[in-house]
């Protein structure tokens, strides 16, 4: 049996040059950390600016007069009313209300720009073509790379290359020239910090990355820091905290289902699993995603069982770490709803011992998005 050949992003050679430790991830050979280490990269992002290569993620365009309405037939999200330059979080659902993937949607002049997860992108494109390919044009963009510049000084570094980008606010985007290259830049990201995601032609990605790394504020960061940052920010990782058997209501993502798409709304339903999701919105769920903080300094990892004081199973952990900024063990878990109340104490089973944890509000670290 031949080994799976990992794909490379346009920044692969630069990662090696910078001394990155590379690991397989979603079919790609990706940097998990650089010589400074995950902890230093995490802290640098919280204090200054970190550059992440997220080119493994899928980028595509939806074109045509009916593209927004067509996309609404696959997501419980208001796409039709999304104004030009605005970005919105959403998710594809299945007939059971489970989440097939989560995605970012930006309305641009002439198209919808969509970013999906790397591991799901082939299935997502097939899903789109199969179900709405007759109503709009689905155009994958494999010739583009994606860079994420995150941290409180990201705007300082990026503004040196194009001052106009400082006027963007959280969840808005615009076309912009950076280092002589036409890019599309959105003020968003996955760390809870202010920051930007930059879609750039693959052939120009390395030059842009080098221009950003030349700033005194910017250091490279890998998948390891990205994971601890997003967990502190309380953001879901697809395939771990959400998947095709967890619904948006169970996952606590109801904020992403606008009123107009809910039962009684002007464009209610019409997407896979709408009856399940509307029913859960009305009646509640038996299991919910929650945040938890450890009461002892023992990291709790994905898969750990959550039990009560009598050892009865209550749920399981989907992500966990010893959080660098919070300086406590933190985790996300699905818990029985009657145990998911704030400050409720439960136990995570770690190597045969019960570790006490307390249900906590998320994010664990305050978001610092720039809202103008």
């Amino acid at each position: 049996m031949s080994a799976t050949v990992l794909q490379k992003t346009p920044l692969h050679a630069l990662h090696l040059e910078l001394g990155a430790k590379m690991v397989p991830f979603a079919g790609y050979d990706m940097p998990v950390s650089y010589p400074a280490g995950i902890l230093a990269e995490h802290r640098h992002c919280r204090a200054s600016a970190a550059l992440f290569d997220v080119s493994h993620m899928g980028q595509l365009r939806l074109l045509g007069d009916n593209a927004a309405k067509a996309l609404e037939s696959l997501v419980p999200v208001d796409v039709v009313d999304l104004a030009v330059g605005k970005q919105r979080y959403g998710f594809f659902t299945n007939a059971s209300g489970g989440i097939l993937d989560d995605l970012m949607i930006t309305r641009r002049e002439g198209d919808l720009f969509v970013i999906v997860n790397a591991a799901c992108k082939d299935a997502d494109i097939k899903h789109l073509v199969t179900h709405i390919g007759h109503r709009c044009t689905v155009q994958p963009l494999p010739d583009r790379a994606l860079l994420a510049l995150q941290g409180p000084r990201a705007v300082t570094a990026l503004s040196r290359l194009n001052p106009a980008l400082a006027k963007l606010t959280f969840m808005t985007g615009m076309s912009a020239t950076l280092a002589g290259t036409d890019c599309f830049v959105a003020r968003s990201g996955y760390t809870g910090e202010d920051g930007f995601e930059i879609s750039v032609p693959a052939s120009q990605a390395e030059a842009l990355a080098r221009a950003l790394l030349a700033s005194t504020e910017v250091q490279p960061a890998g998948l390891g820091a990205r994971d601890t940052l997003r967990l502190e920010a309380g953001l879901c990782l697809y395939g771990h905290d959400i998947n095709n058997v967890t619904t948006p209501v169970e996952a606590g993502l109801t904020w992403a289902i606008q009123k107009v798409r809910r039962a009684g709304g002007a464009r209610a339903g019409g997407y896979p699993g709408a009856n399940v999701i509307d029913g859960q919105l009305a009646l509640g769920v038996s299991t919910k995603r929650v945040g938890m903080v450890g009461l002892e300094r023992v990291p709790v990892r994905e898969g750990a069982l959550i039990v009560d004081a009598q050892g009865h199973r209550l749920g399981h952990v989907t992500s966990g770490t010893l959080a660098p900024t919070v300086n406590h063990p933190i985790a996300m878990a699905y818990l029985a709803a009657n145990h998911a109340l704030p400050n409720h104490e439960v136990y995570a089973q770690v190597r045969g011992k019960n570790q006490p944890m307390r249900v906590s509000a998320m994010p664990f670290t305050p978001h610092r998005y720039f809202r103008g």
Side-chain angles (χ1 to χ4, degrees):
M1 182 182 295
S2 61
T4 301
V5 177
L6 295 174
Q7 299 183 72
K8 299 177 181 176
T9 74
L11 297 183
H12 189 266
L14 179 60
H15 298 317
L16 298 180
E17 180 183 319
L18 295 172
K21 178 182 178 182
M22 308 296 285
V23 298
F25 182 81
Y28 284 79
D29 192 31
M30 295 293 291
V32 67
S33 63
Y34 296 84
I38 292 173
L39 188 59
E41 293 166 21
H42 179 111
R43 288 174 173 160
H44 188 81
C45 184
R46 290 273 184 249
S48 187
L51 182 65
F52 300 85
D53 178 11
V54 287
S55 303
H56 56 309
M57 300 184 75
Q59 302 181 64
L60 53 100
R61 304 171 69 200
L62 301 182
L63 302 104
D65 294 341
N66 293 317
K69 194 171 181 180
L71 183 56
E72 280 198 358
S73 69
L74 298 178
V75 299
V77 175
D78 178 4
V79 184
V80 168
D81 297 329
L82 191 61
V84 172
K86 298 289 187 181
Q87 187 178 52
R88 182 157 283 163
Y89 174 75
F91 22 76
F92 295 121
T93 51
N94 60 27
S96 302
I99 300 172
L100 293 173
D101 193 12
D102 57 349
L103 61 150
M104 298 294 282
I105 308 157
T106 308
R107 167 88 76 174
R108 306 192 298 193
E109 292 283 358
D111 68 8
L112 294 170
F113 177 57
V114 177
I115 298 176
V116 299
N117 283 296
C120 303
K121 63 183 174 184
D122 291 341
D124 289 342
I125 292 168
K126 184 177 180 181
H127 185 63
L128 286 163
V129 171
T130 300
H131 294 288
I132 64 172
H134 60 292
R135 300 171 65 189
C136 63
T137 300
V138 180
Q139 182 184 69
L141 300 171
D143 57 344
R144 296 191 75 85
L146 193 65
L147 308 183
L149 186 67
Q150 297 282 295
R153 296 186 64 76
V155 65
T156 304
L158 196 60
S159 294
R160 281 197 203 100
L161 301 184
N162 188 325
L165 292 171
K167 71 182 182 184
L168 286 177
T169 55
F170 182 57
M171 299 294 274
T172 65
M174 62 183 282
S175 297
T177 300
L178 291 170
T181 300
D182 293 334
C183 300
F184 186 78
V185 183
R187 198 159 190 169
S188 60
Y190 198 47
T191 61
E193 297 293 335
D194 181 24
F196 302 84
E197 292 198 338
I198 308 163
S199 175
V200 53
S203 60
Q204 302 301 313
E206 183 174 326
L208 177 57
R210 288 184 185 278
L212 291 168
L213 289 168
S215 299
T216 56
E217 298 88 355
V218 181
Q219 295 290 327
L223 294 170
R226 188 166 181 253
D227 194 53
T228 54
L229 289 158
R230 71 90 192 167
L231 182 48
E232 286 187 338
L235 301 176
C236 294
L237 176 61
Y238 190 81
H240 299 260
D241 309 300
I242 51 176
N243 56 43
N244 61 1
V245 297
T246 56
T247 72
V249 186
E250 292 168 334
L253 300 175
T254 54
W255 55 267
I257 305 175
Q258 288 75 32
K259 187 176 179 181
V260 70
R261 302 305 317 280
R262 301 188 183 199
R267 296 194 310 281
Y271 60 89
N275 58 332
V276 176
I277 292 170
D278 280 339
Q280 291 183 343
L281 285 168
L283 302 174
V285 290
S286 59
T287 301
K288 300 172 78 172
R289 180 176 66 95
V290 299
M292 299 194 307
V293 175
L295 303 183
E296 296 180 4
R297 202 171 171 78
V298 177
V300 176
R301 304 298 185 189
E302 179 180 354
L305 292 181
I306 303 298
V307 299
D308 64 14
Q310 289 73 43
H312 299 127
R313 177 172 177 166
L314 304 178
H316 67 281
V317 171
T318 54
S319 293
T321 191
L322 180 58
T325 309
V326 178
N327 199 28
H328 282 287
I330 61 171
M332 291 185 197
Y334 279 88
L335 280 188
N338 59 335
H339 289 270
L341 301 173
N343 298 316
H344 192 82
E345 290 194 13
V346 295
Y347 299 89
Q349 293 189 334
V350 180
R351 295 187 294 276
K353 294 184 178 179
N354 284 355
Q355 299 297 332
M357 303 194 80
R358 181 173 292 145
V359 175
S360 169
M362 292 188 284
F364 300 101
T365 300
H367 292 162
R368 298 197 290 184
Y369 304 132
F370 178 72
R371 299 182 186 275

